[in-house]
Amino acid sequence: MIAATGLRWILTLLFAVSVLYGVWRAVLPVTRHTEQVDHVLHAAMGVLMAAMAWPWGMDLSAPPQIVLFSAGALWFVAAASFRTGGRSRGRAVLAIWPHAVMMGAMAWMVAAMDSSGSMVGDGEGHGVHAGHMSGGSGLAAMSLTGAGPRAVAGFLAAVLAVIGVAWLARALDQARALDPAVRRVDATQSPGGGIAGALGLGCHAAMALGMAVCSSCWCEPGGSYGGLLHVACKVWAPGTRHPAPGAPRRRR
C-alpha cells in the first residue's frame, strides 16, 4: 500500500480512468474477441493496482492475482504472432511487448509484496501484511525487504516510466494530428484509430506511469514519495546526511 493519502487518491484516479476505458472498449460490439480479452486484462489490472494502494488491498489473496497476470503476460506474447494487422511479425511483437511487460510486472509486484509482507509479519508478530509505519499517517505502509527485490522494483519503475512516457507522447501526437472537426469519440472506430486510439494510448500511459510510481515507492521504507526524495538526496548530495522518511527530527 501507499502511505501518503494524497498519492493514493491520485493513483486511484489514474487507474480508474484506465479501468473505465477498458470496460468501455470490452463491451463495444465492434471490438474483436481477442481485443476484448486485452481490455478485460487491463481493466482487471487497473482495479487491483488501485486496490494495492489502500490498506484493504493488502488483504486480497495473492496467488489468484499472480496466476491471472502471468497468464495475461503469456496471452499478449502468444497473441502477437497471429495479430500482425498487416505488419511484419517483428513489428507486431514490438507493439505488444509493453503490454506483456506490464502484466509480468504486475505479477511480480504482487508476489514480491506478498513475500515481503509474510516475512515482516513472521518477524514482528503483527500479522501477514504488517509493514513500516509512515511518519504522521498512522497507517502501515508496505515496502519491499531485501536489496534484490528493491533493485528489481527500481528497474521495473524505470522501464514502466519509459513505456508510459512513450505512450503519452504517441497519444498527444495522434490527438494533435486529428482534424478538429472530427475530434469526438465514435463507438464504431477501431481501437487503434481516431480519437479513440489516442484515448486508448493515453489510458495505457496512465496505467504504466501509475505502476511506475507504485514500484518506485516500494523501493524505500515508508512506501511513499518520501522514500523517493530520500533516494534523490543520497544520489545528488552524497556528502550530506539526510534523515530517512519517518525518522524523528532533532529540535533546535
Side-chain angles (χ1 to χ4, degrees), residues 12 21 41 75 91 110 115 119-120 149 162 171-172 176 194 204 216:
T12 300
Y21 175 81
L41 287 171
W75 161 259
R91 287 182 176 272
V110 173
S115 176
M119 287 189 292
V120 171
V162 170
L172 294 175
R176 283 195 295 264
H204 292 328
S216 62

Side-chain angles (χ1 to χ4, degrees), residues 223-243:
S224 67
Y225 45 72
L228 299 180
L229 296 176
H230 184 52
V231 172
C233 288
K234 290 191 293 184
V235 171
W236 294 105
T240 306
R241 297 184 64 182
H242 300 276

Side-chain angles (χ1 to χ4, degrees), residues 168-238:
L168 184 59
R170 289 178 56 195
L172 294 175
D173 289 342
Q174 189 165 329
R176 283 195 295 264
L178 294 174
D179 185 352
V182 296
R183 286 187 179 179
R184 63 184 182 87
V185 178
D186 188 353
T188 63
Q189 288 178 339
S190 63
I195 191 63
L199 180 61
L201 290 170
C203 289
H204 292 328
M207 176 77 76
L209 292 174
M211 292 179 67
V213 172
C214 288
S215 185
S216 62
C217 285
W218 294 331
C219 294
E220 282 288 309
S224 67
Y225 45 72
L228 299 180
L229 296 176
H230 184 52
V231 172
C233 288
K234 290 191 293 184
V235 171
W236 294 105

